[in-house]
Amino acid sequence: MNSEELEVFKSGKKAIGAKQTVRAVEKGLATKVYLAADADRRVVAPLALLCNQKEVQVDDQSTMTELGKACGIEVAAAAVALLK
């Protein structure tokens, strides 16, 4: 994740967590989804498939801890969606 993306995380609208990310993708609100590389595959695999179906860009290079810190929360996050 580069510095531009980190800035967007801090100031932009986002959905944090797998359930909220799924809702955002289903409603067509997500512009990009970040999936944690170390997250449980049972959690993120269906979300990756949904993103593919809805043609939402996916980045799966970050860890759960990195995503949590980037969002300004004190817990890890398996998925985060940047919103329109």
CSV table of all heavy atoms in Angstrom, one decimal, residues 1-12 32 34 59 62 66 69-71 82:
chain,number,residue,atom,x,y,z
A,1,MET,N,0.9,-1.2,0.0
A,1,MET,CA,0.0,0.0,0.0
A,1,MET,C,0.9,1.2,0.0
A,1,MET,O,1.8,1.4,0.9
A,1,MET,CB,-0.9,0.0,1.3
A,1,MET,CG,-1.9,1.0,1.3
A,1,MET,SD,-3.0,0.9,2.8
A,1,MET,CE,-3.3,-0.8,2.9
A,2,ASN,N,0.7,2.1,-1.0
A,2,ASN,CA,1.6,3.3,-1.1
A,2,ASN,C,1.0,4.4,-0.2
A,2,ASN,O,-0.1,4.4,0.4
A,2,ASN,CB,1.7,3.7,-2.5
A,2,ASN,CG,0.4,4.1,-3.2
A,2,ASN,OD1,-0.4,4.7,-2.6
A,2,ASN,ND2,0.3,3.7,-4.5
A,3,SER,N,1.8,5.5,-0.2
A,3,SER,CA,1.4,6.7,0.7
A,3,SER,C,0.1,7.3,0.2
A,3,SER,O,-0.7,7.8,1.1
A,3,SER,CB,2.5,7.7,0.8
A,3,SER,OG,2.8,8.2,-0.5
A,4,GLU,N,-0.2,7.4,-1.1
A,4,GLU,CA,-1.4,8.0,-1.6
A,4,GLU,C,-2.6,7.2,-1.0
A,4,GLU,O,-3.6,7.7,-0.6
A,4,GLU,CB,-1.5,7.9,-3.1
A,4,GLU,CG,-0.8,9.1,-3.7
A,4,GLU,CD,-0.9,9.1,-5.3
A,4,GLU,OE1,-1.9,8.5,-5.8
A,4,GLU,OE2,0.0,9.6,-5.9
A,5,GLU,N,-2.5,5.8,-1.1
A,5,GLU,CA,-3.6,5.0,-0.6
A,5,GLU,C,-3.8,5.1,0.9
A,5,GLU,O,-4.9,5.2,1.3
A,5,GLU,CB,-3.3,3.5,-1.0
A,5,GLU,CG,-3.4,3.3,-2.5
A,5,GLU,CD,-3.0,1.9,-2.9
A,5,GLU,OE1,-2.1,1.3,-2.3
A,5,GLU,OE2,-3.7,1.3,-3.7
A,6,LEU,N,-2.7,5.3,1.6
A,6,LEU,CA,-2.8,5.5,3.1
A,6,LEU,C,-3.6,6.7,3.4
A,6,LEU,O,-4.4,6.8,4.3
A,6,LEU,CB,-1.4,5.5,3.7
A,6,LEU,CG,-0.8,4.2,4.0
A,6,LEU,CD1,0.7,4.3,4.5
A,6,LEU,CD2,-1.5,3.3,4.9
A,7,GLU,N,-3.3,7.8,2.6
A,7,GLU,CA,-4.0,9.1,2.8
A,7,GLU,C,-5.5,8.9,2.6
A,7,GLU,O,-6.3,9.5,3.3
A,7,GLU,CB,-3.3,10.1,1.9
A,7,GLU,CG,-3.6,11.5,2.4
A,7,GLU,CD,-3.2,11.8,3.8
A,7,GLU,OE1,-2.2,11.4,4.3
A,7,GLU,OE2,-4.1,12.5,4.5
A,8,VAL,N,-5.8,8.2,1.5
A,8,VAL,CA,-7.2,8.0,1.2
A,8,VAL,C,-7.9,7.2,2.3
A,8,VAL,O,-9.0,7.5,2.7
A,8,VAL,CB,-7.4,7.3,-0.2
A,8,VAL,CG1,-8.8,6.8,-0.4
A,8,VAL,CG2,-6.9,8.1,-1.3
A,9,PHE,N,-7.2,6.2,2.9
A,9,PHE,CA,-7.8,5.5,4.0
A,9,PHE,C,-8.1,6.3,5.1
A,9,PHE,O,-9.1,6.2,5.8
A,9,PHE,CB,-6.7,4.4,4.4
A,9,PHE,CG,-7.0,3.1,3.9
A,9,PHE,CD1,-6.4,2.7,2.6
A,9,PHE,CD2,-7.7,2.1,4.5
A,9,PHE,CE1,-6.6,1.4,2.1
A,9,PHE,CE2,-7.9,0.9,4.0
A,9,PHE,CZ,-7.4,0.5,2.8
A,10,LYS,N,-7.2,7.3,5.4
A,10,LYS,CA,-7.4,8.1,6.6
A,10,LYS,C,-8.5,9.1,6.4
A,10,LYS,O,-9.3,9.4,7.4
A,10,LYS,CB,-6.1,8.8,7.0
A,10,LYS,CG,-5.0,7.9,7.5
A,10,LYS,CD,-3.7,8.6,7.8
A,10,LYS,CE,-2.7,7.6,8.2
A,10,LYS,NZ,-1.4,8.2,8.4
A,11,SER,N,-8.7,9.7,5.2
A,11,SER,CA,-9.6,10.8,5.0
A,11,SER,C,-10.9,10.4,4.3
A,11,SER,O,-11.9,11.1,4.3
A,11,SER,CB,-8.9,11.9,4.3
A,11,SER,OG,-8.5,11.5,3.0
A,12,GLY,N,-10.8,9.3,3.5
A,12,GLY,CA,-12.0,8.9,2.7
A,12,GLY,C,-13.0,8.1,3.4
A,12,GLY,O,-12.8,7.6,4.5
A,32,LYS,N,-12.9,0.2,-4.5
A,32,LYS,CA,-11.8,-0.7,-4.4
A,32,LYS,C,-11.9,-1.4,-3.1
A,32,LYS,O,-12.3,-0.8,-2.1
A,32,LYS,CB,-10.4,0.1,-4.5
A,32,LYS,CG,-9.2,-0.8,-4.5
A,32,LYS,CD,-7.9,0.0,-4.8
A,32,LYS,CE,-6.7,-1.0,-5.0
A,32,LYS,NZ,-5.5,-0.2,-5.3
A,34,TYR,N,-9.8,-3.9,-0.3
A,34,TYR,CA,-8.6,-4.4,0.2
A,34,TYR,C,-8.9,-5.7,1.0
A,34,TYR,O,-9.7,-5.6,2.0
A,34,TYR,CB,-7.8,-3.4,1.1
A,34,TYR,CG,-7.4,-2.2,0.2
A,34,TYR,CD1,-8.2,-1.2,-0.1
A,34,TYR,CD2,-6.1,-2.2,-0.2
A,34,TYR,CE1,-7.8,-0.1,-0.8
A,34,TYR,CE2,-5.6,-1.1,-1.0
A,34,TYR,CZ,-6.5,-0.1,-1.3
A,34,TYR,OH,-6.0,1.0,-2.0
A,59,ASP,N,-7.3,-5.5,-4.0
A,59,ASP,CA,-5.8,-5.5,-3.6
A,59,ASP,C,-5.7,-6.5,-2.4
A,59,ASP,O,-6.4,-6.3,-1.4
A,59,ASP,CB,-5.4,-4.1,-3.2
A,59,ASP,CG,-3.9,-4.1,-2.8
A,59,ASP,OD1,-3.5,-4.9,-2.0
A,59,ASP,OD2,-3.3,-3.1,-3.2
A,62,SER,N,-1.9,-6.5,1.6
A,62,SER,CA,-1.7,-6.1,3.0
A,62,SER,C,-2.1,-7.1,4.0
A,62,SER,O,-2.8,-8.0,3.7
A,62,SER,CB,-2.6,-4.8,3.2
A,62,SER,OG,-2.2,-3.8,2.3
A,66,GLU,N,-2.0,-4.3,9.1
A,66,GLU,CA,-1.8,-3.1,8.3
A,66,GLU,C,-3.1,-2.4,7.9
A,66,GLU,O,-3.2,-1.2,8.0
A,66,GLU,CB,-1.0,-3.5,7.0
A,66,GLU,CG,0.5,-3.9,7.3
A,66,GLU,CD,1.1,-4.4,6.0
A,66,GLU,OE1,0.4,-4.9,5.1
A,66,GLU,OE2,2.4,-4.5,6.0
A,69,LYS,N,-4.5,-0.6,11.0
A,69,LYS,CA,-3.8,0.6,11.3
A,69,LYS,C,-4.1,1.7,10.3
A,69,LYS,O,-4.2,2.9,10.6
A,69,LYS,CB,-2.3,0.3,11.4
A,69,LYS,CG,-1.8,-0.3,12.6
A,69,LYS,CD,-0.3,-0.5,12.6
A,69,LYS,CE,0.1,-1.3,13.9
A,69,LYS,NZ,1.6,-1.5,13.9
A,70,ALA,N,-4.1,1.3,9.0
A,70,ALA,CA,-4.4,2.3,7.9
A,70,ALA,C,-5.8,2.9,8.1
A,70,ALA,O,-6.0,4.1,7.8
A,70,ALA,CB,-4.3,1.6,6.6
A,71,CYS,N,-6.7,2.2,8.7
A,71,CYS,CA,-8.1,2.7,8.9
A,71,CYS,C,-8.2,3.5,10.2
A,71,CYS,O,-9.2,4.0,10.5
A,71,CYS,CB,-9.1,1.6,8.9
A,71,CYS,SG,-9.3,0.8,7.3
A,82,LEU,N,-13.0,1.0,-0.1
A,82,LEU,CA,-13.1,2.4,-0.3
A,82,LEU,C,-14.4,2.7,-1.0
A,82,LEU,O,-14.7,2.0,-2.0
A,82,LEU,CB,-11.9,2.9,-1.1
A,82,LEU,CG,-10.5,2.7,-0.4
A,82,LEU,CD1,-9.4,3.2,-1.3
A,82,LEU,CD2,-10.5,3.4,0.9
